[in-house]
Amino acid sequence: MNVDALTGGFDRRDWQEQTATDNPVRFAMIGVGWWTTEQAMPAVDAGDLCETTVLVSSDREKAADVAADSETVEHAITYEEFHDGAASDAYDAVYIVTPNALHLPYVETAAELDKAILCEKPMEATIERAERMVEVCDEHDATLMIAYRMHTEPAVRRAKDLIDEGYIGEPLFVHGNMTEPILELVPDPDQWRLDGELSGGCAVMDIGIYPLNTSRFLLDADPVAVRGTVASVQEEFADVPDEHGAFQLDFPGHVYAVCTASQNAHLDSHISVLGTEGKVRVEPAFYPWDDRALQLSHEGTTVEIDFEQIDQMEEEFEYFAHCLLTDTEPYADGEHGLVDINTIKSVYEASETESTVRLD
């Protein structure tokens, strides 16, 4: 295996044509929790193509306090004011990071206000509400992108290149895992992830979506059937079906993915694709605070593949802003997100019925 050939020629931003602008995409952040203040806003600040100008929260004082520490935020408004169109001239796009079951109303308002939409995954708590998101964006010709960080993560993009270039032969199996002790990371037993109405599910819905969607991205295919098992054991998870979950995805051509997820386990993330001639593995993979690592096994040799460590959120925001500035449709549009929602709900159905569920 020619190691030198593996380390050169990779462009992590092969999607990029524009690197600077005098008119950055202005974001309204909808939801001002820790993810917005510690991950999203710093990522936007570090980028070249966008900026944060509006904060939207249930707590005006909280939003104003955060705005006071920002050089670019011009307005701090309430959710009600957002729906009334307040400060709508001050932003071009919204980033929605509310609980899952609350995404739809903000998508509807943003689309009606002719704004582009970057919405956190999963799209919504139910298939019907996710489908409505797509419908309303189509009705208003609004750009909708679902926020999958792995699509712009260099380790995952390089792994896909290696698969596409034939280094592992024909893909056969994907193994993916994402697990975490959620009540240690967010020590609140009343948090929305443990509320089935707000979340739509727990382990599979919140973090099982990472190995699911990344499998789709790496294979460039969608699953055709799913089987799985979910369980909630501890009292804190009584309102959700899946403290833990494991599921198998059947892809066309007799390719299979086995995915595991837990909200009450050791912090861990990885994904690997095994083929007829080799294997690629990304570990750690999914958590933005971990330095990712990529390994290729081929022809009896295993090598570490070099790539640039980046801020996953910065890459995601820059990609979305670039799509808007260049009038390009984002890869992960609403239809793409719907595949995941349908698949996740089918995991729950498969577990309940102890059967294989075919996917349309």
Side-chain angles (χ1 to χ4, degrees), residues 6-8 10-12 152-159 162 281-285 290-295 304-310 312:
L6 297 174
T7 57
F10 171 64
D11 179 4
R12 80 171 202 269
T152 48
E153 161 56 49
V156 173
R157 293 179 70 82
R158 187 66 180 111
L162 294 171
R281 183 177 181 87
V282 181
E283 184 178 14
D290 288 333
D291 282 349
R292 278 69 66 192
L294 172 61
Q295 190 178 78
E304 299 291 333
I305 306 297
D306 292 332
F307 58 91
E308 184 178 355
Q309 298 287 345
I310 52 84
Q312 290 181 346

Side-chain angles (χ1 to χ4, degrees), residues 191-342:
Q191 63 180 279
W192 65 265
R193 289 175 182 82
L194 305 184
D195 181 330
E197 292 295 319
L198 285 176
S199 65
C202 191
V204 178
M205 193 77 162
D206 191 43
I207 54 179
I209 196 171
Y210 282 84
L212 159 60
N213 185 265
T214 309
S215 296
R216 294 174 56 206
F217 180 71
L218 291 172
L219 297 174
D220 194 21
D222 292 336
V224 295
V226 63
R227 58 193 61 82
T229 300
V230 301
S232 287
V233 180
Q234 300 301 319
E235 181 180 355
E236 295 88 345
F237 297 86
D239 290 338
V240 292
D242 54 330
E243 177 183 350
H244 315 291
F247 53 97
Q248 176 183 310
L249 308 169
D250 295 0
F251 286 88
H254 304 291
V255 180
Y256 307 98
V258 176
C259 305
T260 50
S262 175
Q263 291 283 27
N264 193 19
H266 173 71
L267 188 75
D268 184 77
S269 74
H270 61 79
I271 192 161
S272 63
V273 184
L274 180 85
T276 55
E277 299 176 22
K279 180 176 75 171
V280 292
R281 183 177 181 87
V282 181
E283 184 178 14
F286 303 132
Y287 290 102
W289 47 79
D290 288 333
D291 282 349
R292 278 69 66 192
L294 172 61
Q295 190 178 78
L296 170 67
S297 299
H298 177 74
E299 295 181 344
T301 301
T302 297
V303 296
E304 299 291 333
I305 306 297
D306 292 332
F307 58 91
E308 184 178 355
Q309 298 287 345
I310 52 84
D311 182 316
Q312 290 181 346
M313 291 295 288
E314 180 183 342
E315 291 293 289
E316 179 179 83
F317 275 104
E318 288 289 276
Y319 170 75
F320 182 61
H322 186 271
C323 287
L324 299 181
L325 292 169
T326 59
D327 196 24
T328 303
E329 286 297 316
Y331 174 81
D333 60 10
E335 295 292 344
H336 181 94
L338 277 177
V339 173
D340 285 340
I341 293 294
N342 277 290

